[in-house]
Amino acid sequence: MNYHPPCPQPEKVMGLCPHSDPSALTILLQVNETQGLQVKKDGIWIPILPLPNAFIVNIGDTFEIFSNGIYKSIEHRSMVSLEKERISVATFQSSRLDVILGPASSLVTAHNPPRFKTMGATEFYRGYLNRKLLGKSYVTAMRINHQ
Ligand SMILES: O=C(O)CCC(=O)C(=O)O
Ligand SMILES: [Fe+2]
């Protein structure tokens, strides 16, 4: 759960720095009608207006890796508001910790090699939590560059 009280100088702080979620899917509820979530599309931050009784479903890094890059995790951030508090509830749908994460074997062929490293889920999450929230830097570091 995220709680951000009203802030007298909202332009000087951020609710949550730009990041992508490491999990597979995030189901997010913007609890009150305070706008704050933004997603990055084509390099531009787009506000996601809260809709009453609606969930937002975001793709996370695990989905990007598992789909071998077919689905991209979404970079997002949250802003604070001058007058209103903001509350959101995020539920992260993830793999178990005792599995190996990597591109699905059915998507990997000689012509379509794995685009991401394969590693244990525990190691994957530990690596994420040991870093700063810095855009999509973690999933980018998982990439395998084929020449
Ligand atoms: O507060 C929000 O709308 C986003 C929360 C979020 O990105 C997260 O908890 O990972
Ligand atoms: Fe997030």
Side-chain angles (χ1 to χ4, degrees):
M1 290 196 187
N2 300 292
Y3 174 75
H4 297 126
C7 176
Q9 294 181 299
E11 66 289 347
K12 291 198 173 164
V13 292
M14 204 159 276
L16 264 176
C17 300
H19 66 282
S20 53
D21 298 334
S23 38
L25 281 180
T26 302
I27 301 178
L28 182 77
L29 181 67
Q30 305 200 74
V31 173
N32 50 9
E33 308 294 272
T34 311
Q35 191 187 315
L37 177 66
Q38 299 182 342
V39 302
K40 203 179 204 180
K41 185 166 188 296
D42 303 327
I44 295 170
W45 288 108
I46 315 246
I48 304 298
L49 305 183
L51 292 175
N53 303 317
F55 291 118
I56 292 159
V57 180
N58 279 335
I59 289 177
D61 297 337
T62 294
F63 213 124
E64 178 162 345
I65 293 169
F66 189 61
S67 71
N68 205 22
I70 294 174
Y71 291 92
K72 311 270 187 259
S73 62
I74 186 77
E75 186 174 345
H76 55 285
R77 66 181 184 181
S78 74
M79 313 303 276
V80 294
S81 150
L82 180 64
E83 280 161 355
K84 289 168 73 184
E85 65 181 9
R86 180 163 187 278
I87 302 170
S88 65
V89 180
T91 59
F92 303 106
Q93 319 301 309
S94 348
S95 70
R96 288 179 5 196
L97 287 177
D98 60 352
V99 299
I100 302 293
L101 287 185
S105 53
S106 56
L107 295 175
V108 172
T109 62
H111 293 296
N112 194 26
R115 297 184 193 284
F116 296 92
K117 293 173 204 159
T118 289
M119 67 169 68
T122 303
E123 187 191 354
F124 173 77
Y125 280 101
R126 194 169 283 145
Y128 184 89
L129 295 171
N130 276 335
R131 294 166 71 105
K132 286 189 177 169
L133 286 183
L134 202 63
K136 288 191 59 170
S137 65
Y138 190 54
V139 71
T140 302
M142 296 289 143
R143 277 192 167 272
I144 299 170
N145 291 311
H146 301 278
Q147 295 304 328

